[in-house]
Amino acid sequence: MLKHLLLNNEQKERWQSFHQFALEHVGPAAAGWDRDRGVPRAVVSRCADAGFVGGIIPEEYGGGGWDAVTFGLLNEALGAASSSLCALFTVQTMVAMTLVRWGTDEQKKKYLPPMAKADIIASFAMTEPKVGSDIQAVETTFTPKGDGYLLNGTKKWITYSAIADIFLVFGKNTDGKSMAGIVKSGAPGVTVKPLKEMMGFRGAHLSQIEFDNCEIPPADVVGKPGLVLNYVAPYGLHWGRISTAWSSAGLLRACMETSAAYALERRQFGGPISEHGAIRQLTTDMGVDLEAARHLCIVSCMAEDAHAPEAMEKVLMAKYFSSRAAARAASDTIQIMGAAGCHEENTAARLYRCAKIMQIIEGTDQVLQKVLGKTFCKRHGRKVKKM
Amino acid sequence: MRTENSQLPQDIIRGYIMDNVSLPDLDDNFDIFDAGIVNSLFAIELMTFLEKAFSIKVTMEDLDMENFKSVNATSDFVLQKKGVQSA
């Protein structure tokens, strides 16, 4: 019903094609990617051939020129089948849209067309062993050398970095000013160490990246020193949250479908467990959460497409709600399925493992509470006259 | 410069800031960033608001907190930007 109310015909048709792709090419293979600890590069290429990897990149740079809603629908459809694959769209888009907004003309022309075709896979290298949510505390250093810089430091938990061709790396220069630069994965001084044993997102090629006097030419410096962590990085994270919010909504839908199918089939005490009040409570909460998550996702992306100032806040809300709702739904799916849901051969177990990751990436629940809670108190508290 | 509804940029900018932060009133020279009453989320929202309200494009070269620190500074930036873009 929701899609009939809020989506235009082009968006509906694309969503249908995303679902078809997920049904044919993602769902049947997703457990294998999880087990083998990696989405194959050939699958990435197949997504690129379908126009998915560069869908959000402007047409002038070889992309599809999609709106944010359509990009979200892609993440919902494929995220329901594989969080690991969907994470590719998350990180590729974080880097691509950062360059679209803040890159130089030369950087856009050099990097965006191959990124649109997935000839270049890009990772957003922010998190460090000691630095997560507090991005202002990054310890990676950009030391001036000639016209460029020497990069030193370690990034960790970087999605798709094990197979990425370039990294957008964040750090500070010797004056303490925030900086960002593009580094090729095979450049001298770069060491990539894959992190294979993740709880969820097992196919998403996470790794630790070490930079040892790695050279960054001036042409690959992104943004103005000192303003990178306030303006450049938040823009990339904003697009990461759009992707994660929708991917969480997709995972939530997968939980709903898995739970409902099982509850209708499974019989206890003389009837299907879907008839039991306690199970109905779980499926009711799941269904309402799914509808609410979709509303928040669509409205936040409509705000983004309208270039509305409040888009960033609405995306924060969508990511916050969807990821938490997905985690609740995944837990309840296991509860409904009992022992069957606890076995690795069951999709529910993978949904459960990946759902927890959603509450951590692109802003933990607690960081989003810090921002949104303060905003809401300021906005609404002053409307009440003091007694 | 006046907009279609005859509001000065200062009025529009002041109205937007006051709608979004807890201030009973706002002096046009008050430094909202130095005072710590806005966060980085609002900095980006303000930038997006300016782009939409005044049909301008904020570039990397424009990113200087001096341009956005107060109502008057922001208004001056908008006027300068409109002058540059319409030239």
Side-chain angles (χ1 to χ4, degrees):
Chain A
M1 178 56 76
L2 186 63
K3 67 181 181 183
H4 297 295
L5 289 172
L6 297 176
L7 304 182
N8 62 37
N9 286 337
E10 190 176 0
Q11 290 164 340
K12 287 179 203 168
E13 287 169 14
R14 283 223 166 98
W15 201 12
Q16 187 60 38
S17 75
F18 300 152
H19 277 283
Q20 194 60 35
F21 186 94
L23 197 66
E24 292 176 11
H25 303 295
V26 184
W33 303 334
D34 205 57
R35 195 167 47 244
D36 299 339
R37 304 291 193 266
V39 173
R41 184 95 191 203
V43 174
V44 176
S45 298
R46 184 181 283 237
C47 289
D49 291 344
F52 296 168
V53 178
I56 192 67
I57 293 174
E59 288 176 305
E60 64 181 301
Y61 299 112
W66 292 352
D67 52 37
V69 171
T70 302
F71 173 70
L73 295 171
L74 171 76
N75 284 268
E76 195 277 346
L78 272 62
S82 170
S83 299
S84 289
L85 176 60
C86 203
L88 167 74
F89 307 123
T90 308
V91 295
Q92 189 83 344
T93 300
M94 290 171 80
V95 177
M97 296 309 281
T98 298
L99 293 178
V100 168
R101 185 65 178 92
W102 296 121
T104 63
D105 287 343
E106 290 72 24
Q107 288 166 348
K108 292 174 190 174
K109 288 174 189 166
K110 180 179 179 181
Y111 292 112
L112 292 176
M115 285 179 70
K117 293 187 291 184
D119 289 338
I120 284 181
I121 294 176
S123 282
F124 195 86
M126 173 67 79
T127 308
E128 300 177 354
K130 294 182 186 173
V131 181
S133 301
D134 183 11
I135 64 172
Q136 300 290 339
V138 285
E139 295 177 342
T140 296
T141 58
F142 287 66
T143 305
K145 184 194 175 191
D147 293 336
Y149 292 88
L150 283 179
L151 183 68
N152 283 283
T154 302
K155 297 292 181 180
K156 195 168 185 180
W157 318 116
I158 308 303
T159 305
Y160 269 86
S161 60
I163 63 166
D165 302 287
I166 61 170
F167 313 119
L168 178 58
V169 185
F170 295 87
K172 287 181 180 170
N173 65 16
T174 45
D175 294 330
K177 292 184 174 178
S178 58
M179 298 215 44
I182 299 168
V183 181
K184 293 181 177 62
S185 63
V190 176
T191 304
V192 178
K193 297 178 176 175
L195 299 162
K196 296 278 190 185
E197 299 308 318
M198 299 300 296
M199 180 181 102
F201 282 54
R202 287 179 175 170
H205 300 286
L206 274 74
S207 78
Q208 174 169 303
I209 317 166
E210 295 167 2
F211 302 102
D212 181 13
N213 286 325
C214 178
E215 291 195 19
I216 299 182
D220 282 337
V221 172
V222 178
K224 189 190 279 186
L227 294 167
V228 167
L229 294 176
N230 288 328
Y231 285 95
V232 178
Y235 198 70
L237 291 167
H238 170 63
W239 280 93
R241 290 184 189 119
I242 290 175
S243 173
T244 305
W246 281 92
S247 182
S248 297
L251 193 152
L252 176 48
R253 174 170 59 82
C255 289
M256 181 80 254
E257 292 171 354
T258 303
S259 296
Y262 188 87
L264 288 167
E265 182 74 19
R266 174 76 167 173
R267 296 179 70 85
Q268 293 290 284
F269 304 106
I273 62 171
S274 61
E275 299 296 321
H276 298 180
I279 300 298
R280 278 188 177 167
Q281 186 177 338
L282 298 179
T283 53
T284 299
D285 287 348
M286 215 179 284
V288 174
D289 275 354
L290 176 59
E291 189 73 0
R294 284 174 168 174
H295 271 280
L296 283 170
C297 285
I298 289 181
V299 169
S300 66
C301 282
M302 290 172 79
E304 174 62 33
D305 288 329
H307 201 57
E310 62 269 33
M312 197 165 270
E313 180 186 301
K314 290 194 181 301
V315 168
L316 284 170
M317 286 192 265
K319 192 275 176 185
Y320 178 73
F321 183 86
S322 296
S323 61
R324 286 165 63 91
R328 284 194 298 271
S331 177
D332 288 347
T333 300
I334 300 284
Q335 199 65 32
I336 290 168
M337 297 184 74
C342 298
H343 196 278
E344 274 297 320
E345 282 188 1
N346 199 302
T347 302
R350 177 163 49 86
L351 294 172
Y352 182 74
R353 289 188 284 99
C354 290
K356 189 63 201 172
I357 309 292
M358 299 295 190
Q359 289 181 274
I360 296 167
I361 56 175
E362 323 317 346
T364 62
D365 286 359
Q366 289 67 35
V367 163
L368 301 189
Q369 286 165 350
K370 182 180 174 187
V371 176
L372 291 173
K374 186 175 181 179
T375 300
F376 295 156
C377 277
K378 275 189 172 181
R379 183 177 304 149
H380 299 295
R382 65 193 159 95
K383 290 177 183 170
V384 178
K385 288 182 181 175
K386 288 181 180 172
M387 301 292 287
Chain B
M1 175 194 149
R2 286 179 183 270
T3 57
E4 286 177 5
N5 57 2
S6 295
Q7 276 190 294
L8 289 166
Q10 283 99 326
D11 297 332
I12 297 168
I13 294 163
R14 190 187 315 107
Y16 180 74
I17 294 173
M18 291 189 64
D19 273 348
N20 284 277
V21 297
S22 297
L23 286 175
D25 53 51
L26 180 61
D27 184 281
D28 286 354
N29 288 313
F30 184 73
D31 190 330
I32 56 173
F33 289 95
D34 196 38
I37 58 170
V38 296
N39 57 19
S40 58
L41 174 64
F42 181 75
I44 295 174
E45 288 180 343
L46 175 61
M47 181 187 78
T48 310
F49 170 76
L50 297 175
E51 289 187 327
K52 192 171 175 72
F54 299 104
S55 301
I56 59 173
K57 181 75 175 174
V58 178
T59 66
M60 183 55 68
E61 288 69 36
D62 301 323
L63 284 188
D64 185 335
M65 298 315 279
E66 288 295 309
N67 287 333
F68 310 112
K69 67 179 184 182
S70 67
V71 171
N72 278 339
T74 308
S75 174
D76 289 346
F77 165 74
V78 167
L79 291 171
Q80 177 261 332
K81 197 75 183 170
K82 294 292 283 187
V84 169
Q85 289 192 347
S86 61

PDB file of all heavy atoms in Angstrom, chain A residues 94 98-99 102 124 168 170 180 222-224 227-237, chain B residues 44 60 63:
ATOM      1  N   MET A  94      28.961   6.256  -0.106  1.00  0.00           N
ATOM      2  CA  MET A  94      29.549   7.218   0.838  1.00  0.00           C
ATOM      3  C   MET A  94      30.708   7.971   0.193  1.00  0.00           C
ATOM      4  O   MET A  94      30.821   9.190   0.311  1.00  0.00           O
ATOM      5  CB  MET A  94      30.032   6.491   2.099  1.00  0.00           C
ATOM      6  CG  MET A  94      28.903   5.973   2.974  1.00  0.00           C
ATOM      7  SD  MET A  94      29.476   4.900   4.307  1.00  0.00           S
ATOM      8  CE  MET A  94      30.054   6.101   5.497  1.00  0.00           C
ATOM      9  N   THR A  98      30.387  11.869  -1.453  1.00  0.00           N
ATOM     10  CA  THR A  98      31.312  12.840  -0.856  1.00  0.00           C
ATOM     11  C   THR A  98      32.060  13.580  -1.968  1.00  0.00           C
ATOM     12  O   THR A  98      32.224  14.804  -1.931  1.00  0.00           O
ATOM     13  CB  THR A  98      32.320  12.128   0.071  1.00  0.00           C
ATOM     14  OG1 THR A  98      31.590  11.499   1.121  1.00  0.00           O
ATOM     15  CG2 THR A  98      33.308  13.116   0.671  1.00  0.00           C
ATOM     16  N   LEU A  99      32.490  12.816  -2.983  1.00  0.00           N
ATOM     17  CA  LEU A  99      33.208  13.446  -4.101  1.00  0.00           C
ATOM     18  C   LEU A  99      32.267  14.308  -4.934  1.00  0.00           C
ATOM     19  O   LEU A  99      32.653  15.385  -5.404  1.00  0.00           O
ATOM     20  CB  LEU A  99      33.868  12.378  -4.977  1.00  0.00           C
ATOM     21  CG  LEU A  99      35.018  11.596  -4.325  1.00  0.00           C
ATOM     22  CD1 LEU A  99      35.562  10.534  -5.273  1.00  0.00           C
ATOM     23  CD2 LEU A  99      36.142  12.537  -3.894  1.00  0.00           C
ATOM     24  N   TRP A 102      31.872  17.447  -2.615  1.00  0.00           N
ATOM     25  CA  TRP A 102      33.030  18.241  -2.175  1.00  0.00           C
ATOM     26  C   TRP A 102      34.294  17.998  -2.990  1.00  0.00           C
ATOM     27  O   TRP A 102      35.324  18.642  -2.723  1.00  0.00           O
ATOM     28  CB  TRP A 102      33.327  17.967  -0.704  1.00  0.00           C
ATOM     29  CG  TRP A 102      32.239  18.380   0.234  1.00  0.00           C
ATOM     30  CD1 TRP A 102      31.564  17.567   1.093  1.00  0.00           C
ATOM     31  CD2 TRP A 102      31.683  19.693   0.423  1.00  0.00           C
ATOM     32  NE1 TRP A 102      30.631  18.281   1.801  1.00  0.00           N
ATOM     33  CE2 TRP A 102      30.694  19.594   1.407  1.00  0.00           C
ATOM     34  CE3 TRP A 102      31.942  20.946  -0.156  1.00  0.00           C
ATOM     35  CZ2 TRP A 102      29.941  20.687   1.835  1.00  0.00           C
ATOM     36  CZ3 TRP A 102      31.197  22.041   0.265  1.00  0.00           C
ATOM     37  CH2 TRP A 102      30.214  21.906   1.252  1.00  0.00           C
ATOM     38  N   PHE A 124      35.305   3.816   2.730  1.00  0.00           N
ATOM     39  CA  PHE A 124      35.276   5.037   3.539  1.00  0.00           C
ATOM     40  C   PHE A 124      36.055   4.750   4.820  1.00  0.00           C
ATOM     41  O   PHE A 124      35.533   4.092   5.731  1.00  0.00           O
ATOM     42  CB  PHE A 124      33.813   5.367   3.840  1.00  0.00           C
ATOM     43  CG  PHE A 124      33.538   6.750   4.359  1.00  0.00           C
ATOM     44  CD1 PHE A 124      33.348   7.816   3.490  1.00  0.00           C
ATOM     45  CD2 PHE A 124      33.415   6.985   5.717  1.00  0.00           C
ATOM     46  CE1 PHE A 124      33.041   9.089   3.957  1.00  0.00           C
ATOM     47  CE2 PHE A 124      33.114   8.253   6.203  1.00  0.00           C
ATOM     48  CZ  PHE A 124      32.925   9.307   5.316  1.00  0.00           C
ATOM     49  N   LEU A 168      39.012   6.389   0.875  1.00  0.00           N
ATOM     50  CA  LEU A 168      38.923   7.796   1.266  1.00  0.00           C
ATOM     51  C   LEU A 168      39.280   7.829   2.750  1.00  0.00           C
ATOM     52  O   LEU A 168      38.511   7.361   3.595  1.00  0.00           O
ATOM     53  CB  LEU A 168      37.515   8.347   1.019  1.00  0.00           C
ATOM     54  CG  LEU A 168      37.290   9.807   1.430  1.00  0.00           C
ATOM     55  CD1 LEU A 168      38.250  10.750   0.709  1.00  0.00           C
ATOM     56  CD2 LEU A 168      35.839  10.235   1.140  1.00  0.00           C
ATOM     57  N   PHE A 170      40.515   9.539   6.396  1.00  0.00           N
ATOM     58  CA  PHE A 170      40.354  10.758   7.204  1.00  0.00           C
ATOM     59  C   PHE A 170      41.417  10.806   8.305  1.00  0.00           C
ATOM     60  O   PHE A 170      41.763   9.777   8.887  1.00  0.00           O
ATOM     61  CB  PHE A 170      38.965  10.796   7.825  1.00  0.00           C
ATOM     62  CG  PHE A 170      37.868  10.918   6.800  1.00  0.00           C
ATOM     63  CD1 PHE A 170      37.327   9.791   6.196  1.00  0.00           C
ATOM     64  CD2 PHE A 170      37.415  12.159   6.398  1.00  0.00           C
ATOM     65  CE1 PHE A 170      36.338   9.893   5.238  1.00  0.00           C
ATOM     66  CE2 PHE A 170      36.424  12.283   5.438  1.00  0.00           C
ATOM     67  CZ  PHE A 170      35.878  11.141   4.852  1.00  0.00           C
ATOM     68  N   ALA A 180      41.355  14.890   4.531  1.00  0.00           N
ATOM     69  CA  ALA A 180      40.943  13.644   3.872  1.00  0.00           C
ATOM     70  C   ALA A 180      41.716  13.513   2.569  1.00  0.00           C
ATOM     71  O   ALA A 180      42.056  14.515   1.933  1.00  0.00           O
ATOM     72  CB  ALA A 180      39.443  13.647   3.601  1.00  0.00           C
ATOM     73  N   VAL A 222      41.141  15.733  -0.453  1.00  0.00           N
ATOM     74  CA  VAL A 222      39.709  16.051  -0.583  1.00  0.00           C
ATOM     75  C   VAL A 222      39.299  17.045   0.508  1.00  0.00           C
ATOM     76  O   VAL A 222      39.493  16.779   1.697  1.00  0.00           O
ATOM     77  CB  VAL A 222      38.846  14.772  -0.483  1.00  0.00           C
ATOM     78  CG1 VAL A 222      37.361  15.119  -0.573  1.00  0.00           C
ATOM     79  CG2 VAL A 222      39.227  13.782  -1.576  1.00  0.00           C
ATOM     80  N   GLY A 223      38.761  18.169   0.084  1.00  0.00           N
ATOM     81  CA  GLY A 223      38.257  19.144   1.044  1.00  0.00           C
ATOM     82  C   GLY A 223      39.331  20.094   1.544  1.00  0.00           C
ATOM     83  O   GLY A 223      40.511  19.959   1.223  1.00  0.00           O
ATOM     84  N   LYS A 224      38.871  21.052   2.341  1.00  0.00           N
ATOM     85  CA  LYS A 224      39.760  22.089   2.867  1.00  0.00           C
ATOM     86  C   LYS A 224      40.216  21.693   4.277  1.00  0.00           C
ATOM     87  O   LYS A 224      39.374  21.352   5.117  1.00  0.00           O
ATOM     88  CB  LYS A 224      38.985  23.410   2.923  1.00  0.00           C
ATOM     89  CG  LYS A 224      39.829  24.617   3.254  1.00  0.00           C
ATOM     90  CD  LYS A 224      38.945  25.825   3.539  1.00  0.00           C
ATOM     91  CE  LYS A 224      38.458  26.496   2.276  1.00  0.00           C
ATOM     92  NZ  LYS A 224      37.718  27.763   2.568  1.00  0.00           N
ATOM     93  N   LEU A 227      38.137  21.668   7.910  1.00  0.00           N
ATOM     94  CA  LEU A 227      36.677  21.594   7.808  1.00  0.00           C
ATOM     95  C   LEU A 227      36.186  20.219   7.375  1.00  0.00           C
ATOM     96  O   LEU A 227      34.990  20.001   7.167  1.00  0.00           O
ATOM     97  CB  LEU A 227      36.174  22.663   6.832  1.00  0.00           C
ATOM     98  CG  LEU A 227      36.397  24.095   7.340  1.00  0.00           C
ATOM     99  CD1 LEU A 227      36.189  25.101   6.233  1.00  0.00           C
ATOM    100  CD2 LEU A 227      35.455  24.391   8.497  1.00  0.00           C
ATOM    101  N   VAL A 228      37.139  19.295   7.230  1.00  0.00           N
ATOM    102  CA  VAL A 228      36.803  17.976   6.688  1.00  0.00           C
ATOM    103  C   VAL A 228      35.874  17.192   7.619  1.00  0.00           C
ATOM    104  O   VAL A 228      34.894  16.587   7.173  1.00  0.00           O
ATOM    105  CB  VAL A 228      38.095  17.184   6.414  1.00  0.00           C
ATOM    106  CG1 VAL A 228      37.794  15.715   6.170  1.00  0.00           C
ATOM    107  CG2 VAL A 228      38.813  17.779   5.213  1.00  0.00           C
ATOM    108  N   LEU A 229      36.165  17.213   8.912  1.00  0.00           N
ATOM    109  CA  LEU A 229      35.351  16.411   9.823  1.00  0.00           C
ATOM    110  C   LEU A 229      34.009  17.081  10.141  1.00  0.00           C
ATOM    111  O   LEU A 229      33.091  16.437  10.635  1.00  0.00           O
ATOM    112  CB  LEU A 229      36.122  16.120  11.119  1.00  0.00           C
ATOM    113  CG  LEU A 229      37.354  15.218  10.936  1.00  0.00           C
ATOM    114  CD1 LEU A 229      38.110  15.065  12.246  1.00  0.00           C
ATOM    115  CD2 LEU A 229      36.954  13.840  10.402  1.00  0.00           C
ATOM    116  N   ASN A 230      33.890  18.374   9.851  1.00  0.00           N
ATOM    117  CA  ASN A 230      32.624  19.073  10.101  1.00  0.00           C
ATOM    118  C   ASN A 230      31.706  19.098   8.884  1.00  0.00           C
ATOM    119  O   ASN A 230      30.491  19.186   9.031  1.00  0.00           O
ATOM    120  CB  ASN A 230      32.899  20.512  10.546  1.00  0.00           C
ATOM    121  CG  ASN A 230      33.462  20.579  11.958  1.00  0.00           C
ATOM    122  OD1 ASN A 230      33.135  19.755  12.795  1.00  0.00           O
ATOM    123  ND2 ASN A 230      34.319  21.527  12.206  1.00  0.00           N
ATOM    124  N   TYR A 231      32.265  19.062   7.690  1.00  0.00           N
ATOM    125  CA  TYR A 231      31.437  19.179   6.492  1.00  0.00           C
ATOM    126  C   TYR A 231      31.586  18.003   5.522  1.00  0.00           C
ATOM    127  O   TYR A 231      30.601  17.531   4.974  1.00  0.00           O
ATOM    128  CB  TYR A 231      31.764  20.485   5.748  1.00  0.00           C
ATOM    129  CG  TYR A 231      31.198  21.708   6.404  1.00  0.00           C
ATOM    130  CD1 TYR A 231      31.957  22.466   7.279  1.00  0.00           C
ATOM    131  CD2 TYR A 231      29.882  22.105   6.187  1.00  0.00           C
ATOM    132  CE1 TYR A 231      31.437  23.587   7.908  1.00  0.00           C
ATOM    133  CE2 TYR A 231      29.350  23.225   6.802  1.00  0.00           C
ATOM    134  CZ  TYR A 231      30.125  23.965   7.664  1.00  0.00           C
ATOM    135  OH  TYR A 231      29.595  25.061   8.281  1.00  0.00           O
ATOM    136  N   VAL A 232      32.826  17.563   5.295  1.00  0.00           N
ATOM    137  CA  VAL A 232      33.047  16.525   4.279  1.00  0.00           C
ATOM    138  C   VAL A 232      32.614  15.150   4.788  1.00  0.00           C
ATOM    139  O   VAL A 232      31.781  14.486   4.157  1.00  0.00           O
ATOM    140  CB  VAL A 232      34.534  16.504   3.848  1.00  0.00           C
ATOM    141  CG1 VAL A 232      34.774  15.391   2.832  1.00  0.00           C
ATOM    142  CG2 VAL A 232      34.924  17.856   3.265  1.00  0.00           C
ATOM    143  N   ALA A 233      33.161  14.740   5.921  1.00  0.00           N
ATOM    144  CA  ALA A 233      32.834  13.418   6.463  1.00  0.00           C
ATOM    145  C   ALA A 233      31.340  13.267   6.772  1.00  0.00           C
ATOM    146  O   ALA A 233      30.752  12.229   6.446  1.00  0.00           O
ATOM    147  CB  ALA A 233      33.666  13.132   7.711  1.00  0.00           C
ATOM    148  N   PRO A 234      30.693  14.261   7.390  1.00  0.00           N
ATOM    149  CA  PRO A 234      29.257  14.100   7.684  1.00  0.00           C
ATOM    150  C   PRO A 234      28.411  13.853   6.435  1.00  0.00           C
ATOM    151  O   PRO A 234      27.391  13.173   6.505  1.00  0.00           O
ATOM    152  CB  PRO A 234      28.880  15.436   8.342  1.00  0.00           C
ATOM    153  CG  PRO A 234      30.142  15.900   8.983  1.00  0.00           C
ATOM    154  CD  PRO A 234      31.227  15.491   8.016  1.00  0.00           C
ATOM    155  N   TYR A 235      28.854  14.412   5.314  1.00  0.00           N
ATOM    156  CA  TYR A 235      28.075  14.193   4.091  1.00  0.00           C
ATOM    157  C   TYR A 235      28.162  12.726   3.649  1.00  0.00           C
ATOM    158  O   TYR A 235      27.159  12.123   3.267  1.00  0.00           O
ATOM    159  CB  TYR A 235      28.579  15.124   2.979  1.00  0.00           C
ATOM    160  CG  TYR A 235      27.584  15.277   1.871  1.00  0.00           C
ATOM    161  CD1 TYR A 235      26.403  15.987   2.069  1.00  0.00           C
ATOM    162  CD2 TYR A 235      27.801  14.676   0.632  1.00  0.00           C
ATOM    163  CE1 TYR A 235      25.471  16.105   1.054  1.00  0.00           C
ATOM    164  CE2 TYR A 235      26.879  14.799  -0.386  1.00  0.00           C
ATOM    165  CZ  TYR A 235      25.712  15.522  -0.168  1.00  0.00           C
ATOM    166  OH  TYR A 235      24.787  15.624  -1.167  1.00  0.00           O
ATOM    167  N   GLY A 236      29.365  12.158   3.725  1.00  0.00           N
ATOM    168  CA  GLY A 236      29.502  10.739   3.407  1.00  0.00           C
ATOM    169  C   GLY A 236      28.727   9.873   4.383  1.00  0.00           C
ATOM    170  O   GLY A 236      28.036   8.927   3.986  1.00  0.00           O
ATOM    171  N   LEU A 237      28.820  10.203   5.659  1.00  0.00           N
ATOM    172  CA  LEU A 237      28.089   9.436   6.676  1.00  0.00           C
ATOM    173  C   LEU A 237      26.580   9.546   6.481  1.00  0.00           C
ATOM    174  O   LEU A 237      25.838   8.585   6.735  1.00  0.00           O
ATOM    175  CB  LEU A 237      28.472   9.928   8.079  1.00  0.00           C
ATOM    176  CG  LEU A 237      29.913   9.593   8.501  1.00  0.00           C
ATOM    177  CD1 LEU A 237      30.317  10.385   9.741  1.00  0.00           C
ATOM    178  CD2 LEU A 237      30.063   8.098   8.757  1.00  0.00           C
TER     179      LEU A 237
ATOM    180  N   ILE B  44      25.470  22.114   8.901  1.00  0.00           N
ATOM    181  CA  ILE B  44      25.170  21.589   7.561  1.00  0.00           C
ATOM    182  C   ILE B  44      23.733  21.938   7.166  1.00  0.00           C
ATOM    183  O   ILE B  44      23.456  22.282   6.016  1.00  0.00           O
ATOM    184  CB  ILE B  44      25.415  20.070   7.519  1.00  0.00           C
ATOM    185  CG1 ILE B  44      26.908  19.801   7.738  1.00  0.00           C
ATOM    186  CG2 ILE B  44      24.953  19.480   6.204  1.00  0.00           C
ATOM    187  CD1 ILE B  44      27.278  18.356   7.860  1.00  0.00           C
ATOM    188  N   MET B  60      33.434  24.412  -1.748  1.00  0.00           N
ATOM    189  CA  MET B  60      34.498  24.166  -0.773  1.00  0.00           C
ATOM    190  C   MET B  60      35.205  25.461  -0.407  1.00  0.00           C
ATOM    191  O   MET B  60      35.575  25.678   0.750  1.00  0.00           O
ATOM    192  CB  MET B  60      35.484  23.136  -1.356  1.00  0.00           C
ATOM    193  CG  MET B  60      36.600  22.729  -0.422  1.00  0.00           C
ATOM    194  SD  MET B  60      36.039  22.107   1.174  1.00  0.00           S
ATOM    195  CE  MET B  60      35.272  20.568   0.709  1.00  0.00           C
ATOM    196  N   LEU B  63      33.585  27.380   2.377  1.00  0.00           N
ATOM    197  CA  LEU B  63      33.514  26.784   3.714  1.00  0.00           C
ATOM    198  C   LEU B  63      34.506  27.461   4.648  1.00  0.00           C
ATOM    199  O   LEU B  63      35.688  27.124   4.706  1.00  0.00           O
ATOM    200  CB  LEU B  63      33.790  25.281   3.663  1.00  0.00           C
ATOM    201  CG  LEU B  63      32.658  24.412   3.145  1.00  0.00           C
ATOM    202  CD1 LEU B  63      33.008  22.944   3.328  1.00  0.00           C
ATOM    203  CD2 LEU B  63      31.344  24.730   3.830  1.00  0.00           C
TER     204      LEU B  63
END
